[in-house]
Amino acid sequence: MGRKCTFFLLLISIGMICQKAAAQNLFANGSFEVFNNCTEYHADCAPEAWFNIPLGNLKANSFNPKAIMGKYVLTVPVENLLDPNKRIYVYSMLACPLQAGKKYTLSLFLNSAGLPFSHLDFYFSAQQPLLTNFKPLEISADIVISEANIIGDFKQWRIVEYQYTARGDERFCTIGNFSDEAMNYDLSRKMDEDGNIFYFIDDIKLTPPPGTLQCNQYVANIRKMYDQNMRHTNDVLIDKDTPVMATGPIFINDTITLPAVLFEVNSVSIKPAFKKMLDSIAIGFTAKKISKLEIFGHTDNSGTRLANQQLSAERAASIKSYLDSKLPQLSGNIFSFGKGQDFPIADNNTKAGKEKNRRVEIIVTRVITKNN
């Protein structure tokens, strides 16, 4: 077989890998940039698809972090210094139910408002959490984010990543503090008149492993959350008989996984032949309404952790630099990060596993409207 034919088949193979590896964020409005206009007051009052129970004005008087990009972040109460038993929690419905046994990647940017970070808890449930059926101090968190899950820093934010193995009944995710142990912050650090301490989240994602099929109701479930505009009444139902139709845009995340064959061995230089494939990806981005790209480099566990971290960061930066030149309309909205060897998707004890772990992931945030 001729070299040109071999190269052509290889490009097709990689293209198929990229298509099969596409995975969408199961959190709707994970950047919190779309705000709900609540029907009670005809005013913007909360990020679309996110709800808090009990009701309250979740606004910190003493600390307002700058968003990663855009204007808005999610405010999460984690402690009340005046009444430790008073808990407010934040929740959303997942765009697709989780599949039993699959490993999902939870990633987010976290800001503890200048306070020593204690923990942040996540709880998955089959039923929507309501004031009448959910007791925060009587459940066990499915995920407890600690310092061990912080993989880096970006400006004033901490980068968090966690691998979660699903039970199979998860439809809703609730975020807060579900521990009965006090966080021991001094009363002088309270952030509002009610005595609350807040953490802040931006750019949260929950993504399935590559190859996971998207459920048929993905977009419909997101629209269902956007359609719930009642925000000043406890126990609002996302599943309701007569929805009020949302009119704003919806932000959806897709993940494209590129194999390390794009690069020379132990190098950050993209092979010239594969730049054509990146050109095709860039053309695809141009045809869609893209708001940002996040590029993450990964390695296998060969070599030292420090060297792998540097290599992954530089490879991600190399892809970023190339796409910057091809997508000037996204100037300032393309970001790159290195994750090193810490997040394998296959067994590092096999050659095939190592090849899968050497990869670059591009998370594409795109905008859809009711007409597309």
Side-chain angles (χ1 to χ4, degrees):
M1 184 181 293
R3 293 179 61 187
K4 288 185 178 180
C5 185
T6 302
F7 170 68
F8 178 70
L9 290 177
L10 186 55
L11 282 182
I12 292 176
S13 175
I14 292 177
M16 292 176 64
I17 290 173
C18 293
Q19 290 179 348
K20 291 179 180 179
Q24 293 186 311
N25 186 10
L26 299 183
F27 283 128
N29 194 23
S31 61
F32 315 111
E33 290 305 301
V34 183
F35 252 59
N36 174 73
N37 190 274
C38 66
T39 55
E40 298 96 326
Y41 298 108
H42 304 287
D44 290 346
C45 60
E48 287 281 21
W50 295 88
F51 306 84
N52 61 278
I53 295 289
L55 291 173
N57 183 18
L58 302 186
K59 184 177 181 180
N61 297 329
S62 59
F63 189 87
N64 292 290
K66 181 177 175 58
I68 294 293
M69 61 177 296
K71 296 181 179 180
Y72 303 109
V73 300
L74 183 68
T75 302
V76 181
V78 293
E79 186 71 282
N80 189 291
L81 300 178
L82 299 177
D83 182 0
N85 292 319
K86 181 180 180 181
R87 297 291 171 87
I88 302 174
Y89 53 92
V90 180
Y91 72 91
S92 184
M93 185 173 78
L94 302 177
C96 291
L98 303 191
Q99 299 179 37
K102 288 188 177 292
K103 290 187 176 181
Y104 293 77
T105 300
L106 171 68
S107 63
L108 58 107
F109 289 89
L110 175 68
N111 192 313
S112 59
L115 297 172
F117 174 61
S118 177
H119 64 94
L120 185 65
D121 302 335
F122 289 72
Y123 177 74
F124 293 104
S125 59
Q127 302 298 321
Q128 178 177 339
L130 301 173
L131 190 62
T132 53
N133 69 9
F134 185 75
K135 308 300 180 185
L137 296 178
E138 297 179 8
I139 58 98
S140 296
D142 291 301
I143 296 174
V144 178
I145 299 298
S146 66
E147 284 284 348
N149 308 115
I150 295 173
I151 64 172
D153 297 281
F154 183 75
K155 297 181 179 179
Q156 65 190 110
W157 294 83
R158 316 291 299 278
I159 305 171
V160 175
E161 187 154 303
Y162 190 100
Q163 300 292 318
Y164 172 72
T165 302
R167 298 185 304 269
D169 63 347
E170 299 93 335
R171 292 191 66 239
F172 295 86
C173 180
T174 308
I175 309 174
N177 173 15
F178 307 130
S179 171
D180 58 4
E181 296 183 7
M183 288 188 172
N184 295 322
Y185 293 129
D186 188 84
L187 183 59
S188 64
R189 305 303 294 270
K190 66 185 179 70
M191 297 180 187
D192 65 5
E193 292 79 3
D194 293 331
N196 285 307
I197 293 290
F198 301 109
Y199 289 168
F200 302 89
I201 291 175
D202 201 3
D203 206 19
I204 188 171
K205 301 180 182 70
L206 184 68
T207 53
T212 302
L213 295 177
Q214 176 185 301
C215 68
N216 294 331
Q217 297 301 310
Y218 181 86
V219 174
N221 283 337
I222 293 177
R223 291 203 181 281
K224 187 181 294 184
M225 287 182 278
Y226 276 48
D227 290 345
Q228 174 49 268
N229 297 318
M230 298 287 287
R231 299 302 169 103
H232 291 82
T233 304
N234 281 319
D235 293 345
V236 298
L237 294 175
I238 294 174
D239 287 308
K240 57 188 188 304
D241 295 332
T242 309
V244 178
M245 299 306 294
T247 57
I250 293 176
F251 290 85
I252 288 181
N253 294 112
D254 299 320
T255 301
I256 297 174
T257 301
L258 305 176
V261 70
L262 286 170
F263 298 93
E264 303 288 353
V265 177
N266 292 322
S267 171
V268 300
S269 298
I270 304 172
K271 293 179 179 179
F274 289 103
K275 289 183 179 179
K276 294 182 179 180
M277 191 263 288
L278 290 179
D279 291 343
S280 297
I281 291 177
I283 291 172
F285 291 159
T286 303
K288 297 180 180 180
K289 295 181 179 179
I290 304 296
S291 65
K292 69 174 175 178
L293 302 176
E294 296 166 284
I295 304 166
F296 296 88
H298 298 268
T299 69
D300 60 27
N301 64 351
S302 301
T304 67
R305 186 179 300 273
L306 180 61
N308 287 334
Q309 175 64 32
Q310 182 175 353
L311 179 62
S312 68
E314 291 179 350
R315 282 183 167 177
S318 181
I319 297 289
K320 175 186 182 301
S321 178
Y322 192 81
L323 291 179
D324 272 332
S325 68
K326 299 294 180 178
L327 299 166
Q329 69 273 22
L330 288 177
S331 177
N333 293 328
I334 302 179
F335 306 88
S336 67
F337 307 90
K339 293 190 176 181
Q341 67 187 51
D342 294 329
F343 298 95
I345 57 173
D347 187 356
N348 266 317
N349 293 314
T350 67
K351 181 179 179 181
K354 285 181 179 291
E355 289 178 352
K356 289 183 179 180
N357 291 332
R358 296 191 297 268
R359 68 199 190 278
V360 173
E361 294 174 339
I362 303 176
I363 297 178
V364 185
T365 301
R366 59 189 178 92
V367 185
I368 66 171
T369 63
K370 295 185 69 173
N371 297 322
N372 63 5

